Amino acid sequence: MLRTIRPSVDHKNPFHYLESQDLILDMPRGGRKGHKGRGKQFSNPEEIDRQMRVQRELEANGGAEKEESAGSDSDSSSDEDLSKKKSGVEGIIEIENPNRISQKNKKVSEIDIEAPKELTRREREEIEKQKAKERYMKLHLEGKTDQARADLARLAIIKKQREDAAKKRDELKKDTDESKAKR
């Protein structure tokens, strides 16, 4: 984008010296360079030839390797671990992460179906809670807990009060019968 700026005399503007008649501005907006063309990598022709040779060798020897791998299945799993290509820093530095858990595949013949299943913490706590409740109820029915003793004492008091109330009613009834009989 080409623009010409007319000269002006403005002493308050600090950039007045940029505004002259001869100055032609040719700057992209934003002041940043374009990103196209940056960061491209071109393969070396010798590297391409080497990769193609390796590919042809693998294709030619592919039939022989398949016959060998069919004979030994157990050895192929250990070979696969060693032949994995490590990318980045892994190829240079051998790192052992103690927090990383590698998944180990189990064969069907190795799985023990009849093994007892381990309970989770919540399941275990729930079972313990139920057993404790059953023990408490058993002791409560036998009258061995503090609450059961308090309940039995309260019942004894209520029983005694009811007996006294029944005696008083009987006495009142007898008195009323005798008073009616005297009349």
Side-chain angles (χ1 to χ4, degrees):
M1 173 170 74
L2 297 171
R3 270 192 304 172
T4 58
I5 301 173
R6 290 189 170 163
S8 66
V9 179
D10 187 9
H11 297 290
K12 293 179 183 176
N13 185 358
F15 301 105
H16 67 84
Y17 57 90
L18 293 177
E19 300 172 352
S20 67
Q21 189 175 7
D22 301 332
L23 183 64
I24 298 174
L25 297 176
D26 187 20
M27 294 175 58
R29 289 187 181 174
R32 293 190 177 148
K33 295 181 180 179
H35 65 280
K36 294 182 178 180
R38 187 177 5 147
K40 288 186 180 178
Q41 295 179 355
F42 298 98
S43 299
N44 190 355
E46 290 113 22
E47 181 67 23
I48 294 172
D49 290 340
R50 188 186 64 78
Q51 287 177 356
M52 290 180 70
R53 268 188 264 119
V54 170
Q55 185 69 26
R56 280 189 228 124
E57 289 174 6
L58 285 176
E59 290 173 1
N61 295 336
E65 288 179 7
K66 289 180 184 175
E67 292 172 5
E68 291 174 9
S69 64
S72 59
D73 289 334
S74 62
D75 294 337
S76 64
S77 63
S78 63
D79 291 341
E80 289 173 4
D81 295 337
L82 296 175
S83 66
K84 284 184 182 177
K85 184 179 178 184
K86 295 183 178 181
S87 62
V89 181
E90 290 178 359
I92 300 169
I93 304 169
E94 197 165 315
I95 299 172
E96 183 68 29
N97 187 352
N99 297 326
R100 183 170 182 264
I101 300 169
S102 60
Q103 289 185 340
K104 297 175 183 172
N105 296 332
K106 290 185 178 181
K107 294 183 180 177
V108 176
S109 60
E110 293 176 359
I111 298 174
D112 188 14
I113 298 171
E114 298 174 5
K117 181 185 168 193
E118 292 185 26
L119 299 174
T120 62
R121 179 184 56 85
R122 287 185 181 174
E123 292 172 342
R124 207 170 38 246
E125 287 175 356
E126 187 176 330
I127 291 170
E128 289 173 4
K129 192 176 183 180
Q130 288 175 352
K131 287 181 180 178
K133 190 173 185 179
E134 290 172 4
R135 278 194 307 268
Y136 181 79
M137 290 305 293
K138 183 179 175 185
L139 290 173
H140 187 74
L141 292 174
E142 292 174 2
K144 294 182 179 178
T145 62
D146 293 336
Q147 187 177 1
R149 289 186 196 123
D151 290 344
L152 291 173
R154 208 172 26 251
L155 286 173
I157 292 169
I158 291 170
K159 201 175 201 182
K160 193 171 186 181
Q161 288 174 351
R162 287 182 182 167
E163 287 174 1
D164 293 341
K167 284 181 187 177
K168 286 181 183 178
R169 270 187 253 124
D170 288 339
E171 288 176 6
L172 287 173
K173 215 178 208 185
K174 286 180 186 177
D175 290 340
T176 54
D177 288 340
E178 288 176 7
S179 65
K180 285 183 183 177
K182 288 182 183 177
R183 286 186 205 179

